[in-house]
Amino acid sequence: MRLALQQAEKILGNTKDNPAVGCIITKDKHVIGAGATSINGRPHAEHNAINFSKIKLKNSQIYVTLEPCAHFGRTSPCINKIIKKKIKRVYFSIKDPDPRTYNKSSKRLRERGIVVSNGLLIDKTKPFYSSYIIYKKRKLPYLTCKIAISKDFYTINKKNRCITNEFSRGRVQLMRSLHDCIITSSKTIIKDNPRLTCRIEGLKNRSPSRIIFDNKLRLGIKTNIIKESKIHRTIIFYNKTNKQKIKLLKKLKIKLFKIPLDNYGDLDLIKALVKTKELGFSRIFLESGIKLATNFLNNDLVDCLKIYISNKNLGENGDYSLKKYLKIFLRNKKKTIEKVNLLGDKLISYKLK
């Protein structure tokens, strides 16, 4: 099951609205098949592991991180393939919260004389599937928010765009590869002109789609985000109509969706997230300026908060301190789930829900 979880981990954030699943097949105490959910969600892990094996699977054992699917979708259920190949034992860790499968697989497999056991390594797999479980239970996608601060809590370096070191920035690129969508604001793009891609060797094809909150369609077409919109799926959420700008952006293959405003004249965050889920995104990485980030936090829309802390003070070169805000915000909410030393910098991750 540990091997199966490793298979699942390598595809996390790249399976759209399907879960990242890992699968291992053994026979006579040897591993004879391995697979993970494919990019964009299909084929499933069990299908890939079965096809990987060059040995007859009769009387083999299959280990799956999530309950094998029991429903027809674009393909037939994975349990059908398990039955057809005469696999003898099925071990899975987590029951699938999808009602089309929940508890149904075990029943149907046992009816065919297959031994089924669940709960194996659940202490490791349950945290891994926290985002998928949340995604299945509510109308909103799972959202991770990233904030970078100096040692003295400033979020803006008036002399340099970067606050944290190169190891922190590399970790952020890795985080991007584990999500299927980045949300940012036009203000952030206009100010910093980021690319918001994963540039780690071997993971460049894992750069997520981008959703830009651009209420008044102020974004320039010469920014890096727009220039690369034909390579990386780019979507704009707006409210104020500008027919000429919309026509121009559509020519560049950018999708635009009009989102209602909230009581403060900003894009309605909940309606924006509902739309994000409707578009097929399940794991969102919020990488924006501090105003949009704190708006999401204050509206209780963040599931995981990742704070990158520099080992340097900015002093008079710093601006927009979060010292009081974080102290108050995290007082009754924080549950630390991760601490990482990034060669001087620190990463602290908090589970907020």
Side-chain angles (χ1 to χ4, degrees):
M1 191 60 78
R2 287 192 179 91
L3 288 175
L5 184 56
Q6 288 176 9
Q7 292 290 313
E9 287 172 340
K10 71 182 184 181
I11 198 66
L12 182 64
N14 293 271
T15 56
K16 298 301 181 187
D17 55 350
N18 282 318
V21 177
C23 180
I24 296 291
I25 305 173
T26 66
K27 188 174 182 179
D28 300 328
K29 298 183 179 182
H30 292 82
V31 173
I32 61 170
T37 309
S38 299
I39 294 286
N40 296 325
R42 286 182 178 79
H44 290 180
E46 298 92 325
H47 177 95
N48 288 333
I50 287 170
N51 285 352
F52 177 89
S53 178
K54 305 302 179 186
I55 297 172
K56 287 185 177 181
L57 300 181
K58 185 178 180 180
N59 295 327
S60 64
Q61 299 82 38
I62 191 167
Y63 296 80
V64 193
T65 53
L66 190 73
E67 184 177 6
C69 69
H71 61 277
F72 280 87
R74 296 178 193 172
T75 57
S76 61
C78 289
I79 60 168
N80 285 10
K81 197 141 192 170
I82 291 171
I83 293 167
K84 183 180 179 181
K85 294 295 180 178
K86 298 182 179 180
I87 292 171
K88 186 177 182 180
R89 296 177 182 269
V90 175
Y91 299 93
F92 67 87
S93 187
I94 297 286
K95 292 183 179 181
D96 192 339
D98 190 324
R100 297 173 298 177
T101 289
Y102 185 79
N103 270 341
K104 294 181 176 66
S105 297
S106 299
K107 182 181 178 181
R108 288 179 57 187
L109 289 169
R110 287 179 179 133
E111 287 173 349
R112 295 300 189 101
I114 297 170
V115 178
V116 181
S117 180
N118 69 280
L120 189 62
L121 210 69
I122 196 168
D123 60 322
K124 300 291 184 183
T125 54
K126 193 171 183 180
F128 176 79
Y129 282 112
S130 60
S131 63
Y132 174 65
I133 292 168
I134 288 172
Y135 173 78
K136 278 295 180 183
K137 287 184 177 180
R138 69 185 191 195
K139 294 181 179 179
L140 307 180
Y142 185 89
L143 191 141
T144 298
C145 174
K146 181 223 85 174
I147 294 176
I149 60 175
S150 63
K151 191 176 181 180
D152 48 357
F153 292 91
Y154 288 109
T155 60
I156 295 174
N157 186 341
K158 291 188 282 189
K159 283 196 171 182
N160 191 326
R161 193 181 81 176
C162 299
I163 290 178
T164 51
N165 65 23
E166 62 180 305
F167 304 103
S168 291
R169 297 195 295 276
R171 181 85 176 199
V172 170
Q173 289 189 39
L174 177 62
M175 287 301 304
R176 291 172 186 165
S177 75
L178 301 176
H179 294 79
D180 53 15
C181 180
I182 289 177
I183 285 180
T184 191
S185 66
S186 58
K187 185 177 179 180
T188 296
I189 295 171
I190 291 168
K191 180 185 174 184
D192 298 332
N193 195 25
R195 293 176 63 194
L196 299 181
T197 54
C198 178
R199 297 182 292 281
I200 298 172
E201 203 62 45
L203 294 176
K204 292 180 180 179
N205 65 333
R206 301 288 182 90
S207 293
S209 302
R210 294 83 62 89
I211 291 180
I212 306 160
F213 282 34
D214 190 8
N215 184 358
K216 299 179 181 178
L217 292 175
R218 298 183 302 162
L219 198 61
I221 62 170
K222 293 185 179 180
T223 56
N224 288 327
I225 290 281
I226 301 301
K227 285 179 181 177
E228 298 180 358
S229 61
K230 291 182 180 179
I231 303 172
H232 307 293
R233 186 182 179 190
T234 303
I235 298 161
I236 293 178
F237 287 174
Y238 74 101
N239 182 268
K240 188 175 181 180
T241 301
N242 180 331
K243 291 182 179 180
Q244 187 176 354
K245 190 73 168 284
I246 290 172
K247 186 177 180 180
L248 180 59
L249 291 168
K250 284 183 176 179
K251 282 185 177 180
L252 296 171
K253 306 300 181 182
I254 294 172
K255 298 289 185 181
L256 296 99
F257 298 94
K258 191 172 184 178
I259 303 295
L261 300 180
D262 60 18
N263 294 332
Y264 302 97
D266 298 318
L267 296 180
D268 188 300
L269 298 184
I270 293 178
K271 287 184 171 60
L273 285 180
V274 169
K275 186 63 183 180
T276 300
K277 185 172 180 177
E278 288 175 358
L279 291 170
F281 299 113
S282 61
R283 286 175 55 86
I284 312 303
F285 194 43
L286 177 62
E287 194 172 352
S288 67
I290 201 62
K291 180 185 175 183
L292 186 58
T294 52
N295 281 348
F296 270 94
L297 289 166
N298 291 335
N299 282 278
D300 198 26
L301 296 172
V302 176
D303 297 288
C304 179
L305 174 62
K306 292 188 174 289
I307 304 178
Y308 290 82
I309 308 170
S310 169
N311 66 341
K312 296 179 181 178
N313 292 317
L314 285 178
E316 60 183 24
N317 291 322
D319 198 9
Y320 209 106
S321 174
L322 280 188
K323 187 173 184 178
K324 290 183 179 179
Y325 176 84
L326 288 175
K327 185 177 181 181
I328 294 170
F329 181 81
L330 294 173
R331 182 178 294 159
N332 300 317
K333 293 187 176 183
K334 64 179 179 180
K335 179 182 177 183
T336 305
I337 55 174
E338 181 186 39
K339 287 186 177 181
V340 181
N341 186 328
L342 296 165
L343 275 74
D345 287 2
K346 295 177 184 177
L347 165 62
I348 304 178
S349 300
Y350 298 101
K351 181 181 179 181
L352 300 184
K353 293 184 181 180

